[in-house]
Amino acid sequence: MTTKFDYSGKVAFVTGAGSGIGRATALAFAGAGADVAIADISAAGLDETASLIADAGGGVRAFPVDVADAAQVERAVTRAVEVFGRLDVAFNNAATFDAPGPVDTLEVETWNRIIAVNLSGIFHCVKYQAAAMLPRGGGAIINTGSVASEIASLGLTAYTASKHGVVGLTKKAALDYATRGLRVNAVLPGAIDTPMAAEFSGGTEEGRAAMVALEPMGRLGAPREIADVVLWLGSDAASFVTGHCVAVDGGWLAR
């Protein structure tokens, strides 16, 4: 667990916490002393993350949530505040993806679902998290974008569009709350060693090697390396940072 920052007495809310980057970040917040509200559409993954936090002595409450459903997000944020008494930092990480291909081959239903999760889901989270944080003087919200927030070379139509949208939403929200103590930033991961990346690569050694080949550093990133940046963005060490999208991508976007 990350221990570089002190989140003692604070409450974090993490979506997509059932695996990968979300799980690593929830564990990092707990390791730094925060109570953690975790949300995910996968009940099994959520339970596993909750057990890992609890077994390490952390305070945790799990909420099965489909972030595409605004009412579910609102209930989870409201309940988290009721349970822990406050909300200080949120990491909005839940996402899904479509198959590579030209725009005309993408099914409308697939487009709608990915936009609903990846972009509308972030909007739902920011909306209700901001409402919970502002009366207490603010906090920090970090959204998960992607290298696909800046480029389209992955070939994923809906995913690319949604992740571009996350950047725009992040910057707009940052300006909305810049004088009210609420900072809003984003992380843009490259190829990270997660179950989602494995699914995207087809779960084969060849697919994994192809992803590694895209990274100038010659390896996949670790979920912990994203968590470290998220904890920095949520801390007072980043007190003058808002509206910023931090690429954590092994140099991918520098090419």
Side-chain angles (χ1 to χ4, degrees):
M1 293 184 181
T2 298
T3 57
K4 297 176 183 177
F5 301 100
D6 185 4
Y7 279 86
S8 301
K10 295 188 176 183
V11 176
F13 189 102
V14 179
T15 73
S19 64
I21 293 169
R23 173 177 289 174
T25 305
L27 288 167
F29 275 125
D35 289 322
V36 188
I38 57 174
D40 200 286
I41 198 169
S42 168
L46 200 59
D47 288 345
E48 186 173 348
T49 302
S51 294
L52 289 168
I53 294 173
D55 289 348
V60 61
R61 184 64 63 92
F63 300 97
V65 171
D66 179 354
V67 296
D69 185 330
Q72 290 187 39
V73 174
E74 182 180 20
R75 283 194 297 269
V77 172
T78 298
R79 185 65 181 136
V81 173
E82 290 173 350
V83 169
F84 293 119
R86 58 190 294 157
L87 180 60
D88 300 285
V89 59
F91 178 45
N92 300 318
N93 176 68
T96 187
F97 65 91
D98 50 314
V103 173
D104 66 284
T105 66
L106 181 66
E107 295 294 333
V108 171
E109 293 79 7
T110 302
W111 166 272
N112 288 340
R113 177 60 184 169
I114 290 169
I115 296 298
V117 173
N118 293 8
L119 183 53
S120 295
I122 296 284
F123 162 69
H124 299 152
C125 289
V126 172
K127 173 179 173 64
Y128 295 115
Q129 291 158 359
M133 292 178 183
L134 289 169
R136 295 187 56 86
I141 295 173
I142 302 97
N143 300 320
T144 299
S146 166
V147 289
S149 295
E150 302 288 339
I151 57 174
S153 61
L154 289 178
L156 308 173
T157 299
Y159 184 84
T160 298
S162 67
K163 291 300 187 177
H164 272 65
V166 168
V167 168
L169 177 61
T170 297
K171 291 179 178 181
K172 171 58 167 61
L175 294 180
D176 285 343
Y177 307 122
T179 62
R180 301 180 65 185
L182 175 55
R183 298 182 298 104
V184 187
N185 293 289
V187 289
L188 310 182
I192 309 299
D193 195 4
T194 65
M196 179 181 281
E199 183 182 352
F200 175 70
S201 66
T204 66
E205 287 301 318
E206 294 79 5
R208 182 182 177 90
M211 292 188 70
V212 170
L214 293 171
E215 287 289 359
M217 291 184 72
R219 66 174 177 86
L220 299 183
R224 173 193 55 78
E225 293 176 296
I226 306 298
D228 286 342
V229 176
V230 173
L231 263 67
W232 173 69
L233 286 170
S235 76
D236 290 341
S239 58
F240 201 54
V241 180
T242 196
H244 189 54
C245 300
V246 184
V248 190
D249 66 349
W252 188 322
L253 293 177
R255 293 174 304 176

